[in-house]
mmCIF file of all heavy atoms in Angstrom:
data_model
loop_
_atom_site.group_PDB
_atom_site.id
_atom_site.type_symbol
_atom_site.label_atom_id
_atom_site.label_comp_id
_atom_site.label_asym_id
_atom_site.label_seq_id
_atom_site.Cartn_x
_atom_site.Cartn_y
_atom_site.Cartn_z
ATOM 1 N N ALA A 1449 82.691 113.867 103.171
ATOM 2 C CA ALA A 1449 83.332 114.760 104.121
ATOM 3 C C ALA A 1449 83.885 114.009 105.276
ATOM 4 O O ALA A 1449 84.657 114.624 106.032
ATOM 5 C CB ALA A 1449 82.331 115.843 104.662
ATOM 6 N N ALA A 1450 83.462 112.851 105.593
ATOM 7 C CA ALA A 1450 83.934 112.033 106.752
ATOM 8 C C ALA A 1450 84.993 111.017 106.344
ATOM 9 O O ALA A 1450 85.404 110.263 107.289
ATOM 10 C CB ALA A 1450 82.680 111.442 107.480
ATOM 11 N N LEU A 1451 85.315 110.961 105.238
ATOM 12 C CA LEU A 1451 86.472 110.062 104.833
ATOM 13 C C LEU A 1451 87.858 110.301 105.520
ATOM 14 O O LEU A 1451 88.108 111.597 105.651
ATOM 15 C CB LEU A 1451 86.643 109.985 103.269
ATOM 16 C CG LEU A 1451 85.496 109.480 102.412
ATOM 17 C CD1 LEU A 1451 85.939 109.624 100.957
ATOM 18 C CD2 LEU A 1451 85.011 108.168 102.779
ATOM 19 N N LEU A 1452 88.363 109.302 106.032
ATOM 20 C CA LEU A 1452 89.755 109.587 106.660
ATOM 21 C C LEU A 1452 90.894 108.743 105.799
ATOM 22 O O LEU A 1452 90.642 107.563 105.508
ATOM 23 C CB LEU A 1452 89.635 109.031 108.105
ATOM 24 C CG LEU A 1452 88.628 109.762 108.942
ATOM 25 C CD1 LEU A 1452 88.509 108.944 110.253
ATOM 26 C CD2 LEU A 1452 89.067 111.134 109.281
ATOM 27 N N PRO A 1453 92.047 109.355 105.781
ATOM 28 C CA PRO A 1453 93.083 108.534 105.029
ATOM 29 C C PRO A 1453 93.559 107.332 105.862
ATOM 30 O O PRO A 1453 93.758 107.400 106.965
ATOM 31 C CB PRO A 1453 94.260 109.704 104.928
ATOM 32 C CG PRO A 1453 93.962 110.603 106.029
ATOM 33 C CD PRO A 1453 92.378 110.620 106.252
ATOM 34 N N ALA A 1454 93.636 106.301 105.167
ATOM 35 C CA ALA A 1454 94.204 105.056 105.827
ATOM 36 C C ALA A 1454 95.653 105.080 106.115
ATOM 37 O O ALA A 1454 96.338 105.414 105.163
ATOM 38 C CB ALA A 1454 93.809 103.792 105.015
ATOM 39 N N PRO A 1455 96.043 104.893 107.352
ATOM 40 C CA PRO A 1455 97.580 104.941 107.614
ATOM 41 C C PRO A 1455 98.311 103.917 106.637
ATOM 42 O O PRO A 1455 97.931 102.779 106.563
ATOM 43 C CB PRO A 1455 97.654 104.517 109.005
ATOM 44 C CG PRO A 1455 96.307 104.831 109.640
ATOM 45 C CD PRO A 1455 95.353 104.586 108.463
ATOM 46 N N ASP A 1456 99.454 104.442 106.120
ATOM 47 C CA ASP A 1456 100.246 103.615 105.308
ATOM 48 C C ASP A 1456 100.831 102.366 105.926
ATOM 49 O O ASP A 1456 101.240 101.350 105.380
ATOM 50 C CB ASP A 1456 101.434 104.373 104.626
ATOM 51 C CG ASP A 1456 100.931 105.573 103.681
ATOM 52 O OD1 ASP A 1456 99.756 105.290 103.124
ATOM 53 O OD2 ASP A 1456 101.486 106.485 103.528
ATOM 54 N N VAL A 1457 101.115 102.473 107.303
ATOM 55 C CA VAL A 1457 101.748 101.389 107.998
ATOM 56 C C VAL A 1457 100.830 100.240 108.335
ATOM 57 O O VAL A 1457 101.326 99.164 108.730
ATOM 58 C CB VAL A 1457 102.390 101.946 109.317
ATOM 59 C CG1 VAL A 1457 103.447 102.929 108.997
ATOM 60 C CG2 VAL A 1457 101.306 102.454 110.239
ATOM 61 N N LEU A 1458 99.510 100.425 108.125
ATOM 62 C CA LEU A 1458 98.587 99.388 108.327
ATOM 63 C C LEU A 1458 98.040 98.819 107.163
ATOM 64 O O LEU A 1458 97.819 99.416 106.018
ATOM 65 C CB LEU A 1458 97.437 99.802 109.125
ATOM 66 C CG LEU A 1458 97.692 100.493 110.537
ATOM 67 C CD1 LEU A 1458 96.365 101.145 111.088
ATOM 68 C CD2 LEU A 1458 98.441 99.608 111.467
ATOM 69 N N ASP A 1459 97.890 97.498 106.986
ATOM 70 C CA ASP A 1459 97.225 96.824 105.805
ATOM 71 C C ASP A 1459 95.797 97.143 105.862
ATOM 72 O O ASP A 1459 95.232 97.707 106.781
ATOM 73 C CB ASP A 1459 97.590 95.373 105.745
ATOM 74 C CG ASP A 1459 97.012 94.425 106.904
ATOM 75 O OD1 ASP A 1459 95.947 94.945 107.377
ATOM 76 O OD2 ASP A 1459 97.491 93.365 107.116
ATOM 77 N N ASP A 1460 94.999 96.674 104.823
ATOM 78 C CA ASP A 1460 93.651 97.023 104.726
ATOM 79 C C ASP A 1460 92.774 96.538 105.842
ATOM 80 O O ASP A 1460 91.929 97.264 106.459
ATOM 81 C CB ASP A 1460 93.112 96.581 103.407
ATOM 82 C CG ASP A 1460 93.690 97.101 102.190
ATOM 83 O OD1 ASP A 1460 94.172 98.341 102.355
ATOM 84 O OD2 ASP A 1460 93.579 96.602 101.072
ATOM 85 N N ALA A 1461 93.018 95.270 106.460
ATOM 86 C CA ALA A 1461 92.191 94.781 107.419
ATOM 87 C C ALA A 1461 92.515 95.518 108.755
ATOM 88 O O ALA A 1461 91.646 95.827 109.455
ATOM 89 C CB ALA A 1461 92.527 93.381 107.644
ATOM 90 N N GLU A 1462 93.731 95.989 109.074
ATOM 91 C CA GLU A 1462 94.150 96.680 110.171
ATOM 92 C C GLU A 1462 93.507 97.936 110.033
ATOM 93 O O GLU A 1462 93.085 98.585 111.084
ATOM 94 C CB GLU A 1462 95.619 96.673 110.324
ATOM 95 C CG GLU A 1462 96.285 95.330 110.651
ATOM 96 C CD GLU A 1462 97.757 95.302 110.329
ATOM 97 O OE1 GLU A 1462 98.316 96.183 109.711
ATOM 98 O OE2 GLU A 1462 98.532 94.344 110.891
ATOM 99 N N ALA A 1463 93.565 98.625 108.949
ATOM 100 C CA ALA A 1463 93.006 100.039 108.806
ATOM 101 C C ALA A 1463 91.564 100.005 109.071
ATOM 102 O O ALA A 1463 91.047 100.833 109.656
ATOM 103 C CB ALA A 1463 93.443 100.566 107.500
ATOM 104 N N ALA A 1464 90.845 98.878 108.581
ATOM 105 C CA ALA A 1464 89.505 98.905 108.797
ATOM 106 C C ALA A 1464 89.035 98.810 110.266
ATOM 107 O O ALA A 1464 87.959 99.229 110.619
ATOM 108 C CB ALA A 1464 88.834 97.645 108.081
ATOM 109 N N ALA A 1465 89.998 98.356 111.093
ATOM 110 C CA ALA A 1465 89.747 98.095 112.490
ATOM 111 C C ALA A 1465 90.284 99.207 113.309
ATOM 112 O O ALA A 1465 90.161 99.234 114.495
ATOM 113 C CB ALA A 1465 90.390 96.772 112.990
ATOM 114 N N LEU A 1466 90.878 100.269 112.730
ATOM 115 C CA LEU A 1466 91.436 101.321 113.500
ATOM 116 C C LEU A 1466 90.376 102.357 114.051
ATOM 117 O O LEU A 1466 90.620 103.001 115.009
ATOM 118 C CB LEU A 1466 92.492 102.127 112.686
ATOM 119 C CG LEU A 1466 93.217 103.171 113.341
ATOM 120 C CD1 LEU A 1466 94.190 102.677 114.439
ATOM 121 C CD2 LEU A 1466 94.060 104.021 112.418
ATOM 122 N N HIS A 1467 89.286 102.491 113.364
ATOM 123 C CA HIS A 1467 88.424 103.646 113.490
ATOM 124 C C HIS A 1467 87.579 103.717 114.718
ATOM 125 O O HIS A 1467 87.856 104.280 115.710
ATOM 126 C CB HIS A 1467 87.640 103.870 112.296
ATOM 127 C CG HIS A 1467 86.886 105.199 112.221
ATOM 128 N ND1 HIS A 1467 87.431 106.332 112.663
ATOM 129 C CD2 HIS A 1467 85.654 105.467 111.788
ATOM 130 C CE1 HIS A 1467 86.473 107.363 112.420
ATOM 131 N NE2 HIS A 1467 85.530 106.829 111.989
ATOM 132 N N ILE A 1468 86.501 102.795 114.797
ATOM 133 C CA ILE A 1468 85.467 102.983 115.780
ATOM 134 C C ILE A 1468 86.096 102.536 117.159
ATOM 135 O O ILE A 1468 85.931 103.245 118.156
ATOM 136 C CB ILE A 1468 84.209 102.057 115.432
ATOM 137 C CG1 ILE A 1468 83.554 102.660 114.203
ATOM 138 C CG2 ILE A 1468 83.296 102.130 116.676
ATOM 139 C CD1 ILE A 1468 82.452 101.824 113.711
ATOM 140 N N GLY A 1469 86.685 101.425 117.295
ATOM 141 C CA GLY A 1469 87.232 100.903 118.544
ATOM 142 C C GLY A 1469 88.219 101.784 119.084
ATOM 143 O O GLY A 1469 88.266 102.088 120.302
ATOM 144 N N TYR A 1470 89.210 102.292 118.255
ATOM 145 C CA TYR A 1470 90.275 103.100 118.725
ATOM 146 C C TYR A 1470 89.742 104.493 119.074
ATOM 147 O O TYR A 1470 90.202 105.172 119.949
ATOM 148 C CB TYR A 1470 91.465 103.221 117.739
ATOM 149 C CG TYR A 1470 92.295 101.904 117.905
ATOM 150 C CD1 TYR A 1470 91.966 100.735 117.216
ATOM 151 C CD2 TYR A 1470 93.403 101.853 118.676
ATOM 152 C CE1 TYR A 1470 92.766 99.616 117.354
ATOM 153 C CE2 TYR A 1470 94.262 100.765 118.869
ATOM 154 C CZ TYR A 1470 93.811 99.606 118.099
ATOM 155 O OH TYR A 1470 94.657 98.431 118.309
ATOM 156 N N GLN A 1471 88.895 105.042 118.236
ATOM 157 C CA GLN A 1471 88.325 106.303 118.643
ATOM 158 C C GLN A 1471 87.465 106.233 119.816
ATOM 159 O O GLN A 1471 87.540 107.223 120.717
ATOM 160 C CB GLN A 1471 87.445 106.826 117.522
ATOM 161 C CG GLN A 1471 88.215 107.296 116.258
ATOM 162 C CD GLN A 1471 88.120 108.720 115.878
ATOM 163 O OE1 GLN A 1471 87.416 109.511 116.630
ATOM 164 N NE2 GLN A 1471 88.998 109.251 115.100
ATOM 165 N N THR A 1472 86.766 105.156 120.094
ATOM 166 C CA THR A 1472 86.112 104.948 121.272
ATOM 167 C C THR A 1472 86.996 104.909 122.525
ATOM 168 O O THR A 1472 86.885 105.585 123.516
ATOM 169 C CB THR A 1472 85.238 103.609 121.235
ATOM 170 O OG1 THR A 1472 84.268 103.806 120.239
ATOM 171 C CG2 THR A 1472 84.571 103.386 122.694
ATOM 172 N N GLY A 1473 88.122 104.150 122.418
ATOM 173 C CA GLY A 1473 89.111 104.075 123.453
ATOM 174 C C GLY A 1473 89.681 105.462 123.713
ATOM 175 O O GLY A 1473 89.810 105.853 124.831
ATOM 176 N N TRP A 1474 90.140 106.143 122.655
ATOM 177 C CA TRP A 1474 90.774 107.491 122.807
ATOM 178 C C TRP A 1474 89.893 108.481 123.485
ATOM 179 O O TRP A 1474 90.398 109.086 124.433
ATOM 180 C CB TRP A 1474 91.319 107.962 121.436
ATOM 181 C CG TRP A 1474 92.343 109.175 121.769
ATOM 182 C CD1 TRP A 1474 93.745 108.996 121.831
ATOM 183 C CD2 TRP A 1474 92.006 110.451 121.870
ATOM 184 N NE1 TRP A 1474 94.229 110.245 122.029
ATOM 185 C CE2 TRP A 1474 93.251 111.132 121.987
ATOM 186 C CE3 TRP A 1474 90.863 111.226 121.885
ATOM 187 C CZ2 TRP A 1474 93.286 112.534 122.253
ATOM 188 C CZ3 TRP A 1474 90.903 112.605 122.127
ATOM 189 C CH2 TRP A 1474 92.078 113.208 122.206
ATOM 190 N N PHE A 1475 88.718 108.617 122.915
ATOM 191 C CA PHE A 1475 87.688 109.609 123.563
ATOM 192 C C PHE A 1475 87.447 109.220 124.985
ATOM 193 O O PHE A 1475 87.351 110.050 125.843
ATOM 194 C CB PHE A 1475 86.525 109.827 122.662
ATOM 195 C CG PHE A 1475 86.766 110.740 121.637
ATOM 196 C CD1 PHE A 1475 86.949 110.221 120.354
ATOM 197 C CD2 PHE A 1475 86.435 112.137 121.800
ATOM 198 C CE1 PHE A 1475 87.175 111.263 119.303
ATOM 199 C CE2 PHE A 1475 86.619 113.051 120.809
ATOM 200 C CZ PHE A 1475 86.939 112.574 119.475
ATOM 201 N N GLY A 1476 87.191 107.881 125.137
ATOM 202 C CA GLY A 1476 86.842 107.471 126.607
ATOM 203 C C GLY A 1476 87.991 107.741 127.564
ATOM 204 O O GLY A 1476 87.683 108.369 128.611
ATOM 205 N N LEU A 1477 89.213 107.337 127.223
ATOM 206 C CA LEU A 1477 90.242 107.550 128.085
ATOM 207 C C LEU A 1477 90.707 108.945 128.265
ATOM 208 O O LEU A 1477 91.089 109.266 129.368
ATOM 209 C CB LEU A 1477 91.420 106.611 127.691
ATOM 210 C CG LEU A 1477 91.130 105.024 127.640
ATOM 211 C CD1 LEU A 1477 92.413 104.286 127.254
ATOM 212 C CD2 LEU A 1477 90.704 104.593 129.054
ATOM 213 N N HIS A 1478 90.737 109.660 127.211
ATOM 214 C CA HIS A 1478 91.362 110.953 127.299
ATOM 215 C C HIS A 1478 90.356 112.185 127.412
ATOM 216 O O HIS A 1478 90.663 113.072 128.228
ATOM 217 C CB HIS A 1478 92.218 111.186 126.007
ATOM 218 C CG HIS A 1478 93.431 110.345 126.048
ATOM 219 N ND1 HIS A 1478 94.501 110.572 126.776
ATOM 220 C CD2 HIS A 1478 93.702 109.403 125.271
ATOM 221 C CE1 HIS A 1478 95.421 109.575 126.679
ATOM 222 N NE2 HIS A 1478 94.960 108.821 125.589
ATOM 223 N N ARG A 1479 89.239 112.170 126.806
ATOM 224 C CA ARG A 1479 88.272 113.216 126.822
ATOM 225 C C ARG A 1479 87.319 113.003 128.052
ATOM 226 O O ARG A 1479 86.997 113.917 128.775
ATOM 227 C CB ARG A 1479 87.453 113.257 125.533
ATOM 228 C CG ARG A 1479 88.216 113.916 124.364
ATOM 229 C CD ARG A 1479 88.314 115.428 124.529
ATOM 230 N NE ARG A 1479 87.030 116.144 124.434
ATOM 231 C CZ ARG A 1479 86.560 116.650 123.318
ATOM 232 N NH1 ARG A 1479 87.270 116.629 122.198
ATOM 233 N NH2 ARG A 1479 85.373 117.236 123.310
#
């Protein structure tokens, strides 16, 4: 239920690094 589609514009290594750090940044800065 928690799987997220990997963005097509990112390769596998970039996609692996998109989730926790960027979600942390987005929730921190915006929420």
Side-chain angles (χ1 to χ4, degrees):
L1451 299 181
L1452 300 170
D1456 293 334
V1457 297
L1458 302 180
D1459 66 24
D1460 293 337
E1462 293 165 342
L1466 181 70
H1467 189 40
I1468 295 175
Y1470 280 85
Q1471 290 249 348
T1472 296
W1474 193 93
F1475 275 97
L1477 297 179
H1478 293 288
R1479 284 286 291 264

